[in-house]
Amino acid sequence: MLYKSTRLTELGPIMLIRHGILYTIAKLVPGILGLATTAILTRLLDPHQYGLYGVILVIMALISTTLFEWLLSTFLRLYEARRNDPTTMKTFIRIYLLLMPISAAITLLIFAAVRHGAMSISVCLLGLGLAWTFSWFEFASQIEIVNFRPISYLKMNVMRAVAVLFGAVGAAWYTHDPLWTAAAM
């Protein structure tokens, strides 16, 4: 029995290091690909177009951070203790679905209050849709984390970054339209 307990304690740090490396790569590679995407888009879109693209990304980040990020943190915190409760995942999905119309209403209220040149309704709605898809992707990636699947998490993040690189760059090259460029993310 002493051998088994010693063996298990040896695996803890090894697993921690291995998972830590995989999670670091899962953040590093998309960061590098995101930097490459940004560099290419600054060449393909003129400053006004790139500015509109940036406004869409700001809207996406603002909505996802302020309205959905707390749900991801709560999920990470509570999932382990309630893993075997069949209502746990359903509850988080229902909250996410409830946040969608709330975020739409807030976005439309802000649009109504701010309305000026760069802030068209299509820019706001695209930013909102991207916030929903981004937040859903982040929720799905958190599921991989809580289930100790770092390789799956790595694949998800790298595939998303590659898709954004080719999608956004392809849309910018083909259309020179910031809305299509953002939509291709």
Side-chain angles (χ1 to χ4, degrees), residues 69-83 88 92 142 145-146:
E69 189 69 32
W70 69 269
L71 184 63
L72 302 175
S73 300
T74 303
F75 179 76
L76 278 175
R77 173 69 178 94
L78 298 177
Y79 183 76
E80 187 59 38
R82 292 169 174 81
R83 177 185 298 267
T88 300
F92 280 99
Q142 297 303 318
I145 290 172
V146 298

Side-chain angles (χ1 to χ4, degrees), residues 5-25:
S5 65
T6 304
R7 177 85 172 127
L8 288 175
T9 57
E10 290 173 7
L11 290 178
I14 293 170
M15 185 179 88
L16 179 65
I17 291 168
R18 186 173 147 256
H19 283 207
I21 290 169
L22 290 171
Y23 289 129
T24 301
I25 294 169

Side-chain angles (χ1 to χ4, degrees), residues 8-9 16-17 25 32 50 52-53 90 97 113 115 121 132 141 144 146 154 162 164 168 175 177 184:
L8 288 175
T9 57
L16 179 65
I17 291 168
I25 294 169
I32 292 168
Y50 191 79
L52 283 176
Y53 171 79
K90 289 178 187 176
L97 293 173
R115 284 176 61 183
I121 191 67
W132 291 344
S141 67
E144 298 306 313
V146 298
L154 171 67
V162 168
V164 166
T175 67
D177 185 307

Side-chain angles (χ1 to χ4, degrees), residues 37-54 168-169 171-182:
T37 302
T38 301
I40 295 168
L41 290 179
T42 60
R43 305 290 189 266
L44 293 174
L45 299 173
D46 68 40
H48 176 74
Q49 293 168 330
Y50 191 79
L52 283 176
Y53 171 79
V169 168
W173 174 79
Y174 186 71
T175 67
H176 294 283
D177 185 307
L179 296 171
W180 282 109
T181 301

Side-chain angles (χ1 to χ4, degrees), residues 52 55 59 107 110-111 114-124:
L52 283 176
V55 168
I59 292 169
T107 301
I110 292 172
F111 171 74
V114 172
R115 284 176 61 183
H116 63 76
M119 192 69 118
S120 70
I121 191 67
S122 54
V123 167
C124 285

Side-chain angles (χ1 to χ4, degrees), residues 87-137:
T87 63
T88 300
M89 191 62 72
K90 289 178 187 176
T91 301
F92 280 99
I93 291 171
R94 285 182 184 138
I95 293 170
Y96 174 85
L97 293 173
L98 178 65
L99 288 172
M100 290 176 74
I102 292 170
S103 62
I106 292 170
T107 301
L108 292 175
L109 285 172
I110 292 172
F111 171 74
V114 172
R115 284 176 61 183
H116 63 76
M119 192 69 118
S120 70
I121 191 67
S122 54
V123 167
C124 285
L125 293 177
L126 185 53
L128 177 64
L130 289 174
W132 291 344
T133 57
F134 176 79
S135 297
W136 185 257
F137 179 88

Side-chain angles (χ1 to χ4, degrees), residues 3 10 27 35 37 59 65 68 84 97 109 147 153 156 179:
Y3 173 75
E10 290 173 7
K27 290 295 187 180
L35 184 63
T37 302
I59 292 169
T65 301
F68 291 92
N84 296 323
L97 293 173
L109 285 172
N147 287 308
Y153 177 78
M156 286 174 67
L179 296 171

